[in-house]
Amino acid sequence: MLDNGEVYRANKILHILQSNFSIPKWADSQTTPFQALIRTVLSQATASRNTARAFENLSRKFSITPQALVNANVKDIEEAIKVAGLYRNKSRVIKNISEVILKKFGGSLDFIYTSPLEEARKILLTISGVGPKTADVTLLFCAKKPTIPVDTHVNRVSKRLGLVPPKADYEEIRKSLQSLYQPEDYLAVHLLLISLGRKYCKARKPLCKLCPVSELCPSKHIED
């Protein structure tokens, strides 16, 4: 059972983050589940600006649909997404995801809107190349399902803040954060922890003295 003090501190952190960061405008943009999958593949191990540039380049060359990308030449995909790094591997993943979605789901992922969260998540995870983060991003952003995707920033920041156990794996982090916050705040929690990680709680040389939640952080002297 959760301690009320933990929940209070977690929500105080969220309120401070809401006062210091804004939710990106793109978070409210309409995107298809397939587009969300492709964008998340591109985002792996690269900066957000490079993800956006790669997705824009890919969108100029092709319609972002399973049919179009299955028929696309892999070299053309590689050239379009090169700015995102790991472009050869990501191109193969994109081709594979497109083929599986066409063959197994008739080119549509609309089941994520009508299926219960865990059922939809389980189905998405059967697609080779779709891991937990990619599945959760798609479910949260497209279908507004109550889940918190855990990327490298959320992983690092939530552990430093003591919101989750220090050795927690993906599922432990996701479920721990979900137990601390209300479902209507999951999107904000995900995005604001990322913002904190990018600006202050960096992997190397975190800016603890400037961090807006330093007084609530058990790791605040990590930079010393």
Side-chain angles (χ1 to χ4, degrees):
M1 187 173 180
L2 281 175
D3 181 274
N4 287 336
E6 291 178 50
V7 175
Y8 175 79
R9 188 174 75 89
N11 280 279
K12 190 171 181 180
I13 288 170
L14 176 59
H15 293 152
I16 293 171
L17 294 181
Q18 288 171 325
S19 298
N20 283 270
F21 299 101
S22 58
I23 301 297
K25 291 181 180 179
W26 58 259
D28 292 324
S29 62
Q30 295 296 316
T31 185
T32 69
F34 182 74
Q35 289 170 340
L37 283 181
I38 299 305
R39 192 181 186 100
T40 308
V41 169
L42 294 175
S43 75
Q44 293 166 6
T46 193
S48 58
R49 64 181 178 276
N50 291 336
T51 300
R53 288 171 62 193
F55 188 81
E56 187 177 338
N57 291 345
L58 191 65
S59 300
R60 286 200 194 102
K61 279 184 174 282
F62 309 103
S63 174
I64 309 300
T65 64
Q67 185 69 56
L69 293 178
V70 158
N71 292 327
N73 185 291
V74 70
K75 294 295 182 184
D76 291 333
I77 296 176
E78 288 177 0
E79 185 61 33
I81 69 172
K82 188 173 286 188
V83 67
L86 302 174
Y87 59 93
R88 290 191 178 91
N89 180 64
K90 289 177 181 180
S91 296
R92 288 194 296 271
V93 171
I94 287 170
K95 291 281 283 185
N96 179 71
I97 287 175
S98 302
E99 185 174 357
V100 171
I101 291 172
L102 269 178
K103 289 183 177 178
K104 193 171 181 179
F105 305 104
S108 171
L109 295 175
D110 284 353
F111 67 84
I112 71 167
Y113 298 107
T114 54
S115 300
L117 167 63
E118 291 304 325
E119 181 182 333
R121 192 170 187 267
K122 187 175 180 180
I123 295 171
L124 285 174
L125 290 173
T126 64
I127 302 171
S128 178
V130 175
K133 187 193 86 169
T134 302
D136 287 327
V137 165
T138 304
L139 291 164
L140 175 65
F141 284 87
C142 297
K144 312 302 179 190
K145 298 289 189 184
T147 188
I148 298 179
V150 180
D151 77 340
T152 183
H153 298 292
V154 174
N155 177 31
R156 179 177 70 257
V157 173
S158 61
K159 287 178 179 177
R160 285 182 177 170
L161 286 171
L163 296 174
V164 304
K167 294 185 179 180
D169 61 14
Y170 186 99
E171 280 304 293
E172 289 177 286
I173 296 169
R174 183 176 77 99
K175 290 178 179 177
S176 293
L177 289 175
Q178 289 173 191
S179 70
L180 290 169
Y181 295 104
Q182 295 299 310
E184 59 266 26
D185 291 326
Y186 288 177
L187 179 66
V189 170
H190 170 71
L191 291 171
L192 295 175
L193 288 180
I194 290 175
S195 295
L196 182 64
R198 285 178 175 157
K199 187 166 184 179
Y200 298 109
C201 197
K202 302 176 187 239
R204 297 180 180 179
K205 297 184 179 179
L207 306 176
C208 300
K209 291 175 182 176
L210 300 175
C211 178
V213 293
S214 62
E215 292 308 310
L216 294 169
C217 180
S219 308
K220 65 181 177 180
H221 299 302
I222 196 170
E223 66 176 344
D224 297 334

